[in-house]
Amino acid sequence: MLLAAPLLLLAAAPLLAVGSNAPVRSLTTGASPSRAPDTSTRPLPPSVMRGGHVEYFAFGSNLLQSKVEGRTGFPVLAKERAVVTDHRLAFNMRAFPPLEPAMASLEPCAGESCEGVLYTLSREAYEQLWRSEGGAARRPAYEEVVVLARCRRGAVPALSLRAAPAARLRRDAPPSRRYKDLLVRGAREARLSAAYLERLEAVRAVRPSPAVAWLARAHGAVAVLCFRIGLRRLLAPLRCLLYFLMYSGQSRAASIASECLTACALLPTALIGVCIRALFTAVGKEAYLTFGPPPSANQSNKKAAEGAA
């Protein structure tokens, strides 16, 4: 892996070119924040539209209204508790182990049920939300599905999100402690049932030690760079190994062994990542090594207005 560092930097040379104005793409969406694709005219199932607005069923971190409004830049028009039957809350959307191993997904499962929040959003707000979840990517990590959300209004058709086949793990992985805490906070805010809240609190989560977290963030620079230059599959074997080494049980000895082996696995790419980040920072291109959903157009306009003021 260390021998591959010069080749990686050579492939990234166009990004390092002084004066380059290539757009910074989001790792989540694959799109430029300043050149978001126009998704407002794409067709949506008529059944999820109500008075020109979109019905959306949230079950993950979007249980928190502040998350939805922060991602979209628009206010929520209405919300209420809802349940989707014959589906379960899964943690099988591949993410970034060991920091964020898996994200939530709504998976079909006979006899199970998933509680959540049914939001009514403007069309613009929903499109920004979909984009923040990776909808602008060539191959989004989520796919939109229509579900029946049962609430006080009855069975309401709504859009929700399921891990896309290319990003779907064969079995659930433990979420991070940070992500699990967001879901628990959201469930409390939405006043979901006590039984469902208890199930969420019982989900085993992982929280790597500060040392492993530092190595993972340094490794992240390599992961982001590989994405930028079209080599996202290069680190697939290492990612599989990191999933294999994860441990969320109670054994202290097993936890220490998992941490040590994970640190050893991350060390080579972490060292490369430190060098890459230093180089990109030196030429003022550190933004190319950041990842996450791009800001919504509404948020960008607000920031521009604040800057002008």
Side-chain angles (χ1 to χ4, degrees):
M1 179 60 75
L2 290 173
L3 295 176
L7 296 177
L8 197 59
L9 290 174
L10 182 62
L15 298 181
L16 289 166
V18 177
S20 170
N21 58 359
V24 180
R25 294 190 303 160
S26 161
L27 184 63
T28 306
T29 65
S32 163
S34 60
R35 296 183 183 179
D38 182 12
T39 55
S40 60
T41 57
R42 70 188 182 101
L44 290 180
S47 61
V48 305
M49 304 296 294
R50 183 167 67 95
H53 304 316
V54 182
E55 301 286 359
Y56 164 69
F57 177 75
F59 52 84
S61 60
N62 286 337
L63 289 172
L64 289 164
Q65 182 174 335
S66 60
K67 279 285 183 183
V68 174
E69 293 180 338
R71 287 171 170 171
T72 66
F74 293 92
V76 167
L77 300 178
K79 73 171 188 176
E80 59 183 306
R81 288 174 293 178
V83 178
V84 173
T85 57
D86 291 326
H87 287 74
R88 70 179 181 91
L89 173 66
F91 294 97
N92 66 345
M93 203 278 271
R94 186 178 65 242
F96 307 99
L99 284 179
E100 296 289 348
M103 298 298 176
S105 171
L106 188 64
E107 288 293 321
C109 187
E112 293 285 337
S113 63
C114 179
E115 296 187 25
V117 175
L118 179 62
Y119 288 105
T120 301
L121 304 173
S122 68
R123 179 62 189 265
E124 295 83 357
Y126 176 75
E127 292 300 344
Q128 290 289 359
L129 185 66
W130 169 235
R131 183 169 170 260
S132 78
E133 297 285 6
R138 187 165 54 90
R139 290 199 308 168
Y142 280 114
E143 60 184 11
E144 295 168 298
V145 294
V146 178
V147 297
L148 283 179
R150 303 181 186 278
C151 58
R152 288 179 298 177
R153 288 185 278 146
V156 178
L159 282 174
S160 196
L161 303 179
R162 182 189 184 191
R168 194 180 303 154
L169 297 170
R170 293 183 180 179
R171 60 179 64 89
D172 286 15
S176 70
R177 170 66 66 177
R178 181 203 69 84
Y179 187 61
K180 174 189 169 181
D181 288 347
L182 285 177
L183 269 63
V184 171
R185 280 175 49 205
R188 287 176 177 154
E189 177 183 282
R191 297 184 178 180
L192 302 186
S193 70
Y196 193 76
L197 180 59
E198 186 177 347
R199 283 169 55 189
L200 279 180
E201 290 176 331
V203 171
R204 288 187 174 181
V206 294
R207 179 164 54 188
S209 67
V212 170
W214 184 90
L215 288 170
R217 292 189 183 96
H219 157 85
V222 179
V224 174
L225 184 58
C226 286
F227 172 84
R228 302 277 186 230
I229 61 180
L231 297 176
R232 65 173 70 192
R233 294 183 180 275
L234 182 65
L235 298 178
L238 176 57
R239 184 172 59 241
C240 291
L241 177 61
L242 294 174
Y243 275 118
F244 177 76
L245 293 175
M246 277 194 311
Y247 177 74
S248 59
Q250 302 297 319
S251 170
R252 177 68 174 167
S255 179
I256 292 175
S258 171
E259 287 274 309
C260 292
L261 292 172
T262 299
C264 291
L266 286 170
L267 185 58
T269 49
L271 293 175
I272 297 173
V274 169
C275 297
I276 288 175
R277 189 171 296 280
L279 180 59
F280 273 71
T281 300
V283 297
K285 302 288 186 178
E286 62 272 19
Y288 284 94
L289 300 179
T290 60
F291 64 88
S296 69
N298 209 30
Q299 289 172 312
S300 300
N301 293 338
K302 286 182 180 179
K303 289 182 179 179
E306 290 172 359

